[in-house]
Amino acid sequence: QKEVEQNSGPLSVPEGAIASLNCTYSDRGSQSFFWYRQYSGKSPELIMSIYSNGDKEDGRFTAQLNKASQYVSLLIRDSQPSDSATYLCAVPYNQGGKLIFGQGTELSVKP
Amino acid sequence: GAVVSQHPSWVICKSGTSVKIECRSLDFQATTMFWYRQFPKQSLMLMATSNEGSKATYEQGVEKDKFLINHASLTLSTLTVTSAHPEDSSFYICSASLGLGDEQFFGPGTRLTVL
């Protein structure tokens, strides 16, 4: 059974701090990794994709991938109250193109 | 790019009626579309995978005769909830991807309330 694990939180950080969200996955053969943000009552929104070991930066977001440790993380710099949401880590399942989602980490950024 | 729309955004219906939800990829052709359901405070639950021109693949426990999926073109998939009951009230979300293993782009969701 392929699994994706996240700390459910809630994770609370003060405004302006760095929020660190972590995800581990069980399938060593996974090649693609995605981070989605879901605001309460809304659908998920893709914020980062990462395919290679190392860091990928996009604005205030940095995704970090370590395939040897089967670990992918998302850093949010200069956290803002508008970043308060649930963050979902997702890994493709080999068959049929499905995504396996983690249970999501709820982030709360306090002003 | 990669915009997915859904219609309607919300619907209220009487128990026993059927409701159709449309999912469209607006600026790309989606080889595969997915239908999810999400209850309040719970995780996304994949209901089925829809490929253009072929029958949908349903997840275990999802009744294919109750949740009818049609994927008539590379830009449109529909989900029909037949004989809806109050327990079918939920947030239904579709997504579309360019190919196997690619990221999925989600529609805004349809909130269904069955009275």
Side-chain angles (χ1 to χ4, degrees):
Chain A
Q1 176 71 16
K2 299 175 192 293
E3 293 182 346
V4 177
E5 298 285 340
Q6 294 180 252
N7 292 327
S8 59
L11 172 66
S12 183
V13 301
E15 184 174 357
I18 296 174
S20 178
L21 305 161
N22 304 316
C23 174
T24 58
Y25 59 94
S26 63
D27 183 10
R28 283 195 170 275
S30 297
Q31 298 295 319
S32 310
F33 306 87
F34 310 116
W35 282 100
Y36 289 85
R37 176 177 63 197
Q38 186 175 24
Y39 291 113
S40 181
K42 302 293 185 181
S43 66
E45 171 191 11
L46 178 69
I47 54 172
M48 289 288 279
S49 307
I50 188 166
Y51 306 93
S52 304
N53 275 329
D55 295 359
K56 179 182 177 182
E57 187 175 317
D58 183 1
R60 294 187 296 112
F61 298 98
T62 299
Q64 299 176 319
L65 175 60
N66 184 324
K67 290 185 179 179
S69 300
Q70 295 175 240
Y71 177 94
V72 56
S73 65
L74 180 70
L75 301 178
I76 306 174
R77 291 183 301 281
D78 187 25
S79 295
Q80 301 296 309
S82 58
D83 295 325
S84 297
T86 296
Y87 289 80
L88 302 165
C89 173
V91 179
Y93 184 67
N94 285 338
Q95 298 176 5
K98 298 189 292 188
L99 288 180
I100 306 298
F101 286 90
Q103 64 270 44
T105 298
E106 184 182 349
L107 172 66
S108 177
V109 181
K110 303 294 187 184
Chain B
V3 178
V4 178
S5 71
Q6 272 184 253
H7 178 80
S9 56
W10 59 271
V11 58
I12 300 172
C13 70
K14 292 183 178 180
S15 186
T17 60
S18 294
V19 173
K20 180 186 283 189
I21 303 169
E22 290 187 351
C23 177
R24 293 181 185 272
S25 56
L26 297 185
D27 53 359
F28 68 103
Q29 292 186 326
T31 57
T32 309
M33 290 184 170
F34 304 85
W35 287 95
Y36 295 83
R37 181 166 57 178
Q38 188 173 37
F39 294 104
K41 303 291 186 183
Q42 294 189 22
S43 301
L44 287 170
M45 188 197 82
L46 179 65
M47 300 175 69
T49 301
S50 170
N51 291 294
E52 186 263 341
S54 62
K55 290 184 179 180
T57 302
Y58 291 81
E59 294 299 300
Q60 191 173 5
V62 178
E63 299 174 60
K64 61 180 181 181
D65 294 330
K66 180 170 182 62
F67 299 100
L68 301 178
I69 292 173
N70 183 275
H71 194 156
S73 75
L74 286 172
T75 59
L76 173 64
S77 176
T78 61
L79 168 68
T80 300
V81 183
T82 62
S83 186
H85 291 284
E87 57 266 29
D88 298 322
S89 298
S90 189
F91 190 40
Y92 291 86
I93 313 171
C94 74
S95 71
S97 81
L98 290 163
L100 296 180
D102 287 346
E103 56 267 73
Q104 293 180 19
F105 301 96
F106 285 85
T110 297
R111 197 162 301 281
L112 170 64
T113 302
V114 184
L115 301 177

